[in-house]
Amino acid sequence: MYYYSTRNKNETVNFASAALSGLAPDGGLFVPEEIPQYSEQVRSSLGSMDFRDIAFETIKPYVKDEIPGNALSEIVQSAFTFTAPLIAVADRYVSELFHGPTAAFKDFGARFMARAFSYLRRGEDRPLRILVATSGDTGGAVADGFLGVEGIFVTVLYPKGRVSPLQERQIAGLGNNISAIAVEGSFDDCQRLVKAALSNDPLKKRAALSSANSINISRLIPQAVYYSAAAGRAFAGLTDPDGNATPRTGLKACITPRRGSPVTLCVPSGNFGNLTAGLYAMKMGAPVNQFIAATNINKTVPDYLDSGEYLARISQTTISNAMDVGAPSNFERMSAHFSWDEMRRIILGVSVSDDETKETILRIAREAGYILDPHSAVGWKGTDKLLAENKIKEGAIGIFSTAHPAKFSEVVEPLTGPVSMPDSLARAMEREINAKTISADVSELIETLYETM
Ligand SMILES: *Cc1c(COP(=O)(O)O)cnc(C)c1O
């Protein structure tokens, strides 16, 4: 499979070089030359296949010839030690994407990317130094994904005092091949510092440098997997990760979920990497007919779907802060594959305010006994709005739950009471923070990086 830059169709590279370089030299994003198709046999059994088998079949055509089957199989087994259970809540399905080590969907992409990097660099003597800027969620997932991967060192930059106590421990508590730098400044400062360091010649002489931000194609492709799993199971009317219709305890079974085709999947969106992966899964043959792009008040894409005009803007702060994006970087990738008309036919846009988000967390906890995190609540409420407007076709509805509610306990607990923490988060809370603080100054960053090379 070859990949081209969204800014120049004639410049193609293989998977290894698209993944390891991240961004194309012309500043564009890498997209696959064509979207492969599932075989008829795979397509028709998505509803009953094991999650890792779906992962293998989904990723294989994108890395073919570069990561052979046995190696890919090992990568998939070690990356996806958790799955994405589909459960029935009230009138719809929820696909829970938060069972990985950092309790957000970014674990799927980050863990695959880390293992793919390691394989693609086998036999390489020079260590690779990865620099990541994070506003919170990405840094933890990438750090955890690369923990213990030989020959790769990760440095995460985060804005000091502006990430949650849990996020800071996920970023700065791992040690080993992961180091953390707390920058006295904003997320934008962190990003600026990373960009400057990546193009610093003396530094490039000392180590191979790369970044692992969310536009990396090797993070996006593995995210298509849970779309195919969710659509396949919702289509078949199944609820449990193993295909058994075992109800989750503690839920009030008030309404039977809508079943059958066409399946509509709702994606709480910020940078639109997740939704783009869904579009790939649909093109590959997953039985999904319609997507809901649910945003908070940062509604650049819903507005574009309405008007045909793309207006990037400054992001506004909300309680679903992993989606506070005013200029979604993956929009460029979506437009490389789909025109406005095509997007409008497949994607329903909707935006949800903070008050509506809180009201929804409270209401669904009371009515269904299910606790949504603020991002997933944006998806739930967005779906409600579109249902009220009669815009959703008949058939099953699935909502992606992108984070565990305990990750955003400061928003959720005042509404629902105490939320129990998954073990991985409880363990993370016990870690000691080990970060070096620097000012938002490039030379200070370079000096700090030298000390650890
Ligand atoms: C990153 C993130 C999102 C947004 O995903 P995009 O791929 O950027 O659209 C939504 N919810 C949570 C919890 C996230 O961490």
Side-chain angles (χ1 to χ4, degrees), residues 413-442:
E413 287 189 339
L415 301 164
T416 64
V419 179
S420 63
M421 251 195 200
D423 289 348
S424 64
L425 295 189
R427 278 197 303 272
M429 276 313 280
E430 284 165 17
R431 291 184 200 138
E432 255 174 67
I433 294 169
N434 185 3
K436 171 154 187 173
T437 299
I438 64 167
S439 61
D441 175 69
V442 180

Short mmCIF file of all heavy atoms in Angstrom, two decimals, residues 413-442:
data_model
loop_
_atom_site.label_atom_id
_atom_site.label_comp_id
_atom_site.label_asym_id
_atom_site.label_seq_id
_atom_site.Cartn_x
_atom_site.Cartn_y
_atom_site.Cartn_z
N GLU A 413 -18.62 13.52 38.98
CA GLU A 413 -19.04 13.17 40.35
C GLU A 413 -20.01 14.14 41.01
O GLU A 413 -20.93 13.70 41.69
CB GLU A 413 -17.81 12.89 41.22
CG GLU A 413 -17.17 11.56 40.83
CD GLU A 413 -16.07 11.10 41.77
OE1 GLU A 413 -15.49 11.94 42.48
OE2 GLU A 413 -15.79 9.88 41.77
N PRO A 414 -19.85 15.46 40.80
CA PRO A 414 -20.86 16.36 41.38
C PRO A 414 -22.27 16.06 40.86
O PRO A 414 -23.26 16.39 41.52
CB PRO A 414 -20.40 17.75 40.93
CG PRO A 414 -18.95 17.62 40.64
CD PRO A 414 -18.75 16.21 40.18
N LEU A 415 -22.38 15.44 39.69
CA LEU A 415 -23.69 15.14 39.12
C LEU A 415 -24.21 13.77 39.53
O LEU A 415 -25.40 13.58 39.76
CB LEU A 415 -23.62 15.20 37.58
CG LEU A 415 -23.17 16.54 36.98
CD1 LEU A 415 -22.76 16.37 35.52
CD2 LEU A 415 -24.31 17.55 37.09
N THR A 416 -23.31 12.79 39.63
CA THR A 416 -23.76 11.40 39.80
C THR A 416 -23.38 10.80 41.14
O THR A 416 -23.80 9.69 41.45
CB THR A 416 -23.12 10.50 38.72
OG1 THR A 416 -21.70 10.49 38.93
CG2 THR A 416 -23.42 10.98 37.33
N GLY A 417 -22.53 11.48 41.91
CA GLY A 417 -21.95 10.84 43.08
C GLY A 417 -20.68 10.10 42.66
O GLY A 417 -20.29 10.17 41.50
N PRO A 418 -20.05 9.39 43.62
CA PRO A 418 -18.75 8.78 43.35
C PRO A 418 -18.76 7.80 42.17
O PRO A 418 -19.71 7.05 41.99
CB PRO A 418 -18.43 8.02 44.64
CG PRO A 418 -19.35 8.56 45.67
CD PRO A 418 -20.52 9.15 44.98
N VAL A 419 -17.72 7.87 41.36
CA VAL A 419 -17.54 6.96 40.22
C VAL A 419 -16.34 6.09 40.55
O VAL A 419 -15.28 6.61 40.90
CB VAL A 419 -17.24 7.76 38.94
CG1 VAL A 419 -17.04 6.82 37.76
CG2 VAL A 419 -18.34 8.75 38.65
N SER A 420 -16.49 4.77 40.46
CA SER A 420 -15.34 3.94 40.82
C SER A 420 -14.32 3.95 39.69
O SER A 420 -14.66 4.01 38.51
CB SER A 420 -15.78 2.52 41.15
OG SER A 420 -16.35 1.93 40.03
N MET A 421 -13.06 3.92 40.10
CA MET A 421 -11.95 4.03 39.15
C MET A 421 -11.54 2.67 38.64
O MET A 421 -11.39 1.75 39.43
CB MET A 421 -10.74 4.62 39.88
CG MET A 421 -10.43 6.01 39.48
SD MET A 421 -8.77 6.43 40.03
CE MET A 421 -8.96 8.20 39.98
N PRO A 422 -11.28 2.53 37.35
CA PRO A 422 -10.70 1.27 36.89
C PRO A 422 -9.30 1.10 37.50
O PRO A 422 -8.65 2.09 37.82
CB PRO A 422 -10.61 1.42 35.37
CG PRO A 422 -10.98 2.81 35.04
CD PRO A 422 -11.49 3.49 36.27
N ASP A 423 -8.87 -0.16 37.66
CA ASP A 423 -7.58 -0.45 38.30
C ASP A 423 -6.43 0.33 37.70
O ASP A 423 -5.56 0.83 38.42
CB ASP A 423 -7.25 -1.95 38.17
CG ASP A 423 -8.16 -2.78 39.06
OD1 ASP A 423 -8.86 -2.17 39.91
OD2 ASP A 423 -8.19 -4.01 38.89
N SER A 424 -6.43 0.44 36.37
CA SER A 424 -5.28 1.08 35.73
C SER A 424 -5.17 2.55 36.16
O SER A 424 -4.07 3.06 36.34
CB SER A 424 -5.41 0.99 34.20
OG SER A 424 -6.54 1.71 33.76
N LEU A 425 -6.30 3.22 36.35
CA LEU A 425 -6.25 4.62 36.77
C LEU A 425 -5.88 4.73 38.24
O LEU A 425 -5.13 5.62 38.64
CB LEU A 425 -7.60 5.31 36.52
CG LEU A 425 -8.05 5.46 35.07
CD1 LEU A 425 -9.29 6.35 34.99
CD2 LEU A 425 -6.95 6.02 34.19
N ALA A 426 -6.40 3.81 39.05
CA ALA A 426 -6.07 3.82 40.47
C ALA A 426 -4.56 3.62 40.65
O ALA A 426 -3.92 4.30 41.45
CB ALA A 426 -6.85 2.73 41.20
N ARG A 427 -3.98 2.71 39.86
CA ARG A 427 -2.54 2.48 39.95
C ARG A 427 -1.77 3.72 39.49
O ARG A 427 -0.76 4.09 40.08
CB ARG A 427 -2.14 1.27 39.09
CG ARG A 427 -2.37 -0.06 39.80
CD ARG A 427 -1.59 -1.18 39.11
NE ARG A 427 -1.93 -1.31 37.70
CZ ARG A 427 -2.95 -2.07 37.25
NH1 ARG A 427 -3.71 -2.73 38.11
NH2 ARG A 427 -3.20 -2.16 35.96
N ALA A 428 -2.26 4.36 38.45
CA ALA A 428 -1.58 5.55 37.94
C ALA A 428 -1.55 6.66 38.99
O ALA A 428 -0.57 7.39 39.13
CB ALA A 428 -2.25 6.05 36.66
N MET A 429 -2.64 6.77 39.77
CA MET A 429 -2.72 7.82 40.78
C MET A 429 -1.64 7.66 41.85
O MET A 429 -1.29 8.62 42.54
CB MET A 429 -4.11 7.82 41.46
CG MET A 429 -5.19 8.57 40.72
SD MET A 429 -4.74 10.21 40.15
CE MET A 429 -4.89 11.19 41.65
N GLU A 430 -1.12 6.44 42.00
CA GLU A 430 -0.10 6.20 43.02
C GLU A 430 1.32 6.52 42.55
O GLU A 430 2.27 6.48 43.33
CB GLU A 430 -0.16 4.74 43.48
CG GLU A 430 -1.35 4.50 44.40
CD GLU A 430 -1.64 3.02 44.57
OE1 GLU A 430 -0.77 2.19 44.26
OE2 GLU A 430 -2.77 2.71 45.00
N ARG A 431 1.46 6.80 41.26
CA ARG A 431 2.82 7.05 40.74
C ARG A 431 3.36 8.39 41.21
O ARG A 431 2.61 9.32 41.46
CB ARG A 431 2.80 7.05 39.21
CG ARG A 431 2.54 5.69 38.64
CD ARG A 431 2.62 5.76 37.12
NE ARG A 431 1.93 4.62 36.55
CZ ARG A 431 1.13 4.68 35.49
NH1 ARG A 431 0.93 5.82 34.87
NH2 ARG A 431 0.54 3.60 35.04
N GLU A 432 4.69 8.46 41.27
CA GLU A 432 5.31 9.73 41.61
C GLU A 432 5.60 10.52 40.35
O GLU A 432 6.05 9.96 39.35
CB GLU A 432 6.62 9.46 42.34
CG GLU A 432 6.51 9.72 43.82
CD GLU A 432 7.78 9.30 44.52
OE1 GLU A 432 8.82 9.92 44.28
OE2 GLU A 432 7.70 8.31 45.28
N ILE A 433 5.37 11.81 40.43
CA ILE A 433 5.61 12.66 39.26
C ILE A 433 7.09 12.97 39.15
O ILE A 433 7.73 13.40 40.12
CB ILE A 433 4.80 13.96 39.36
CG1 ILE A 433 3.32 13.62 39.28
CG2 ILE A 433 5.19 14.93 38.25
CD1 ILE A 433 2.41 14.76 39.63
N ASN A 434 7.65 12.71 37.98
CA ASN A 434 9.06 13.00 37.76
C ASN A 434 9.20 13.75 36.44
O ASN A 434 9.32 13.15 35.38
CB ASN A 434 9.84 11.68 37.74
CG ASN A 434 11.32 11.92 37.64
OD1 ASN A 434 11.78 13.08 37.65
ND2 ASN A 434 12.09 10.85 37.54
N ALA A 435 9.11 15.08 36.52
CA ALA A 435 9.20 15.90 35.31
C ALA A 435 10.17 17.03 35.54
O ALA A 435 10.32 17.53 36.66
CB ALA A 435 7.82 16.47 34.97
N LYS A 436 10.86 17.40 34.48
CA LYS A 436 11.73 18.57 34.58
C LYS A 436 10.93 19.78 34.11
O LYS A 436 10.26 19.73 33.08
CB LYS A 436 12.96 18.34 33.71
CG LYS A 436 13.77 19.59 33.62
CD LYS A 436 15.22 19.35 33.33
CE LYS A 436 15.86 20.73 33.45
NZ LYS A 436 17.22 20.83 33.39
N THR A 437 10.97 20.86 34.90
CA THR A 437 10.26 22.07 34.49
C THR A 437 11.19 22.98 33.70
O THR A 437 12.33 23.19 34.10
CB THR A 437 9.74 22.81 35.74
OG1 THR A 437 8.83 21.94 36.43
CG2 THR A 437 8.99 24.08 35.34
N ILE A 438 10.71 23.46 32.56
CA ILE A 438 11.51 24.43 31.79
C ILE A 438 10.62 25.61 31.41
O ILE A 438 9.39 25.51 31.45
CB ILE A 438 12.11 23.81 30.49
CG1 ILE A 438 11.00 23.38 29.50
CG2 ILE A 438 13.01 22.64 30.81
CD1 ILE A 438 11.51 23.06 28.11
N SER A 439 11.26 26.72 31.04
CA SER A 439 10.46 27.84 30.53
C SER A 439 10.14 27.55 29.06
O SER A 439 10.72 26.65 28.46
CB SER A 439 11.22 29.15 30.67
OG SER A 439 12.40 29.07 29.91
N ALA A 440 9.23 28.32 28.48
CA ALA A 440 8.81 28.05 27.10
C ALA A 440 9.85 28.58 26.13
O ALA A 440 9.61 29.47 25.33
CB ALA A 440 7.44 28.68 26.83
N ASP A 441 11.05 28.00 26.22
CA ASP A 441 12.19 28.52 25.48
C ASP A 441 12.91 27.36 24.77
O ASP A 441 13.28 26.37 25.41
CB ASP A 441 13.13 29.22 26.47
CG ASP A 441 14.39 29.68 25.82
OD1 ASP A 441 14.32 30.61 25.00
OD2 ASP A 441 15.46 29.08 26.08
N VAL A 442 13.09 27.49 23.46
CA VAL A 442 13.62 26.38 22.67
C VAL A 442 15.00 25.93 23.14
O VAL A 442 15.26 24.74 23.27
CB VAL A 442 13.69 26.76 21.17
CG1 VAL A 442 14.23 25.59 20.36
CG2 VAL A 442 12.33 27.15 20.66
#
